[in-house]
């Protein structure tokens, strides 16, 4: 084995593993979160035009001016935050690079960072690359969602806390942090002089009755917050990998110090396409949200009917479902066993969320389904789940050849 020690705890990401399993068994892939349809035509046309009109050399290191301007207007419109495109906005290769650049650019070895779990898996690997120390605060299942315990959060803070990593709307639980929680986190950050790193990639995927608020918009927080976001989720362009950070100049300097040596800059023509979408894409977002509101209900209702314990997500495009009633009947031990069983026996793939916990057992009773799909895809997944999970003998094998 030649892999550096810092990566050996993480193996292959669960997203690659489960997508590969889905492909092998021709299963409907509700594991890795990506849409099964294309992003808006106007974005693709502008990117194509940029390719055909000579925008094919390196973009400036912090991003093309047109995209940084568009991000500034978008942020001001969506979160009420005014940012200087020259000194406060950096375009990155997806939010995943922004996460890594933030950790590598702002943390010193041994710095403590509070992380809510379950967490998006790259947080931990990025902290390991920076040689920083994660302190985990659990989001526990509640009657209708997931929540941290305020005493546990307060206890995690100390004079050693350099940063806290928050993610709202949250992957994988679908919760949106409410005003009380944001206020609570903000006052702890102020009290302990802590940086808030706020992953807001699902900022536009918030369902009726809920509202997204950036922690940067709270009093005294703008100067200590790094907002991370991307175009992937809002515009169904996960393969373009165009993300960004918004942070005050002193924090942006650190992020750019890392970004210049990680990727230097991001695909030039795609930045033109994203700039167009951020500026003119509101109607596309409304259509997308209507679609996801529909597939969210369809899938949640079907899972509930099948015996899963479902907490309706407030945002994001994931549902965390408690599978214990079902797996008990099937004689399967945990989420990993169930996620290996499902593609073969039901023709549907999902994510085992134990991969998102420092103590995997905490996630073992859940399974994560992505509903960022066309209605017909979700319908077919439901049909397959029903047939596999309501059969008298559910151990019968699904035959991929019968799938149209
Ligand atoms: N964020 C996506 C998810 O949670 C996947 C990202 C990835 O595959 N790296 O499904």
């Amino acid at each position: 084995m030649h892999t550096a020690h810092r990566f050996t705890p993480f193996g292959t990401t669960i997203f690659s593993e489960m997508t590969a399993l889905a492909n092998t068994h021709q299963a409907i892939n509700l594991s890795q979160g990506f849409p099964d349809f294309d992003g808006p035509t106007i974005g693709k046309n502008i990117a194509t035009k940029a390719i055909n009109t000579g925008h094919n050399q390196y973009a400036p290191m912090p991003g093309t001016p047109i995209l940084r301007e568009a991000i500034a207007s978008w942020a001001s419109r969506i979160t009420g935050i005014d940012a200087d495109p020259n000194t406060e906005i950096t375009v990155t290769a997806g939010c995943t690079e922004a996460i890594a650049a933030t950790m590598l650019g702002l943390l010193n070895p041994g710095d403590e960072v509070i992380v809510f779990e379950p967490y998006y898996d790259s947080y931990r690997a990025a902290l390991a690359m920076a040689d920083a120390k994660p302190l985990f605060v659990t989001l526990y299942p509640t009657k209708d969602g997931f929540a941290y315990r305020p005493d546990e959060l307060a206890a995690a803070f100390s004079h050693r806390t350099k940063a806290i990593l928050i993610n709202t709307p949250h992957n994988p639980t679908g919760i949106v942090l409410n005003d009380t929680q944001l206020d609570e986190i903000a006052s702890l950050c102020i009290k302990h002089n802590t940086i808030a790193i706020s992953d807001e990639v699902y900022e536009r995927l918030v369902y009726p009755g809920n509202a997204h608020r950036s922690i940067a918009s709270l009093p005294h927080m703008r100067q200590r917050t790094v907002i991370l976001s991307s175009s992937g989720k809002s515009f169904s362009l996960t393969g373009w990998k165009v993300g960004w950070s918004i942070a005050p100049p002193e924090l942006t300097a650190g992020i750019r110090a890392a970004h210049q040596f990680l990727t230097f800059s991001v695909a030039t023509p795609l930045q033109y396409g994203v700039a167009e979408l951020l500026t003119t894409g509101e109607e596309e977002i409304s259509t997308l949200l209507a679609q996801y509101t529909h597939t969210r209900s369809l899938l949640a209702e079907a899972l509930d009917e099948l015996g899963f314990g479902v907490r309706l997500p407030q945002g994001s495009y994931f549902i965390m479902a408690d599978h214990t009633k079902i797996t008990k009947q099937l004689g399967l031990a945990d989420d990993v066993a169930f996620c290996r069983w499902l593609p073969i026996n039901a023709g549907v793939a999902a994510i085992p969320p134990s991969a998102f916990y420092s103590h995997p057992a905490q996630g073992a009773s859940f399974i994560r389904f992505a509903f960022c799909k066309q209605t017909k895809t979700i319908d077919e997944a439901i049909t397959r789940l029903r047939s596999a999970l309501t059969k008298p003998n559910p151990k019968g094998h699904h035959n991929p050849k019968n799938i149209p």
Side-chain angles (χ1 to χ4, degrees), residues 15 31-33 120 171 202 233 318 368:
F15 304 116
S31 67
Q32 189 178 25
Y120 174 48
N171 174 13
Y202 300 98
K233 276 73 178 170
F318 304 112
R368 192 197 80 173

Side-chain angles (χ1 to χ4, degrees), residues 129-207:
M129 285 191 255
D131 211 4
K133 185 178 165 207
L135 288 188
F136 297 101
V137 173
T138 303
L139 296 164
Y140 296 98
T142 60
K143 206 164 52 57
D144 48 8
F146 287 77
Y148 63 83
R149 295 183 183 146
D151 56 327
E152 291 188 359
L153 179 65
F157 274 86
S158 75
H159 65 278
R160 290 182 302 276
T161 313
K162 176 79 184 232
I164 180 169
L165 186 44
I166 68 175
N167 170 218
T168 185
H170 185 256
N171 174 13
T173 66
I175 59 165
V176 173
L177 290 176
N178 62 36
D179 287 355
T180 313
Q181 293 167 321
L182 288 172
D183 284 342
E184 195 162 49
I185 297 167
S187 43
L188 287 162
C189 287
I190 293 160
K191 180 171 167 200
H192 296 277
N193 194 22
T194 298
I195 299 168
I197 303 169
S198 184
D199 174 350
E200 301 178 16
V201 290
Y202 300 98
E203 60 186 324
R204 302 309 304 277
L205 305 184
V206 178
Y207 301 104

Side-chain angles (χ1 to χ4, degrees), residues 44 57 125 160 202 206-207 225 229 303 330 373 390 401:
K44 293 189 290 184
Q57 307 308 326
R160 290 182 302 276
Y202 300 98
V206 178
Y207 301 104
T225 301
S229 193
L303 291 174
L330 294 172
K373 306 290 170 188
T390 54
K401 290 199 190 86

Side-chain angles (χ1 to χ4, degrees), residues 12 21 48 50 75 97 117 149 168 196 201 246 293-294 324-325 364 388:
T12 303
L21 197 65
T48 308
E97 194 227 337
E117 61 180 346
R149 295 183 183 146
T168 185
V201 290
I246 304 175
T293 304
H294 179 58
T324 43
K325 260 200 218 153

Side-chain angles (χ1 to χ4, degrees), residues 339-385:
C339 284
R340 297 224 162 100
W341 184 93
L342 268 176
I344 301 166
N345 296 281
V348 174
I351 290 279
S354 55
F356 306 147
Y357 287 84
S358 60
H359 299 290
Q362 277 190 300
S365 53
F366 290 96
I367 181 168
R368 192 197 80 173
F369 292 99
F371 57 86
C372 43
K373 306 290 170 188
Q374 300 172 69
T375 303
K376 64 176 194 219
T377 309
I378 296 294
D379 279 340
E380 175 62 18
I382 292 170
T383 304
R384 291 182 185 195
L385 287 169

